[in-house]
Amino acid sequence: MSSGLKHRTFSAALADAAKAGRAPVISEIKCRSPKEGDLLAGRDPALLAAAMESAGAACLSVVTEPEHFGGSLQLLRTVVAATSLPVLRKDFLESVEDVEATQNAGASCLLLIASLMDWPTLVALHREAHRQELETVVEVHNEDELRRALTLDLDLLGINNRDIRRLEVDDGTVANTLELLAHVPPGIRAIGESAISTAEEVRAALDAGAQGVLVGTSILRAPDAGAAVRRLVSLS
């Protein structure tokens, strides 16, 4: 494992993938989802993370929320130890203690969801993350949330194609990413999240201005997760 890679920020790893001619794909590890059920299917998360890295993923995402998605901080620590890639923690975070736990587990970045917290709390956690040398993905789902998010000193803007308030059981499409990207000013690094499953959808998001895409379920549902990542990162 390269210590040099470990020191890259999450956003820098996305940029490096693009410079290397790969689609900047954030490959996600989650145990289950309310819509799809069991996603790990008995696989070792450490081996899965290593396979995703070998296949060309730019970064990894780990869902640590326990009740609906079966995650944990131990899952995050396991993945961080198994890869040299920067790792995003996805959870319903709401306190400074959550930020500290994310940093202590070795993540490089954490998710802040605009629809699930009041604005002062989001701003405070964004600042605390920066104080602890973590980047943030501030996630939005509509234009109102986008307008507010753009007032921050964003590391990465996340555009969720599904509604997290419904636990992402709705049938979102990459169209939401494409629509909101049209309102994102130049210089803002945005990623498309959820409901992305094909190389064509990845390319559509990148062509519209996204700096990366987060793909979870379709990779985990594939017979070979590594092969699924390779298909998505290939721009040839």
Side-chain angles (χ1 to χ4, degrees), residues 171-217:
D171 293 321
T173 73
V174 72
N176 196 53
T177 288
L178 305 183
E179 179 181 344
L180 291 186
L181 279 172
H183 303 284
V184 175
I188 300 297
R189 294 174 293 197
I191 60 174
E193 304 174 64
S194 299
I196 296 173
S197 59
T198 68
E200 290 72 24
E201 289 168 337
V202 170
R203 292 190 191 97
L206 298 179
D207 288 346
Q211 274 69 54
V213 293
L214 189 151
V215 185
T217 300

Side-chain angles (χ1 to χ4, degrees), residues 29-215:
I29 294 175
K30 56 184 171 185
C31 297
R32 65 174 185 263
S33 80
K35 184 175 184 179
E36 301 289 341
D38 179 26
L39 292 170
L40 277 188
R43 289 172 292 185
D44 182 336
L47 295 178
L48 193 57
M52 291 171 170
E53 178 175 7
S54 295
C59 304
L60 297 181
S61 169
V62 176
V63 180
T64 61
E65 194 279 330
E67 181 179 356
H68 303 288
F69 295 91
S72 65
L73 279 170
Q74 182 54 48
L75 175 64
L76 177 61
R77 288 189 286 267
T78 296
V79 171
V80 167
T83 179
S84 62
L85 298 180
V87 178
L88 166 70
R89 180 188 180 189
K90 287 183 65 178
D91 205 330
F92 303 146
L93 307 183
E94 57 186 20
S95 69
V96 169
E97 289 74 22
D98 289 333
V99 178
E100 292 173 349
T102 303
Q103 200 275 341
N104 290 337
S108 301
C109 192
L110 57 80
L111 183 73
L112 299 175
I113 305 171
S115 64
L116 295 184
M117 64 179 74
D118 63 74
W119 185 246
T121 299
L122 189 150
V123 171
L125 296 188
H126 177 67
R127 290 174 177 167
E128 179 62 20
H130 283 179
R131 192 184 73 78
Q132 299 214 27
E133 300 185 341
L134 293 169
E135 289 188 316
T136 72
V137 173
V138 177
E139 180 181 286
V140 304
H141 182 62
N142 57 45
E143 286 190 46
D144 287 341
E145 293 168 3
L146 173 60
R147 280 192 290 270
R148 185 167 283 190
L150 290 174
T151 66
L152 295 171
D153 55 333
L154 293 170
D155 302 308
L156 288 161
L157 173 74
I159 300 174
N160 198 334
N161 295 308
R162 293 195 175 109
D163 188 348
I164 191 61
R165 293 169 299 182
R166 297 176 59 192
L167 297 176
E168 298 185 346
V169 298
D170 54 314
D171 293 321
T173 73
V174 72
N176 196 53
T177 288
L178 305 183
E179 179 181 344
L180 291 186
L181 279 172
H183 303 284
V184 175
I188 300 297
R189 294 174 293 197
I191 60 174
E193 304 174 64
S194 299
I196 296 173
S197 59
T198 68
E200 290 72 24
E201 289 168 337
V202 170
R203 292 190 191 97
L206 298 179
D207 288 346
Q211 274 69 54
V213 293
L214 189 151
V215 185

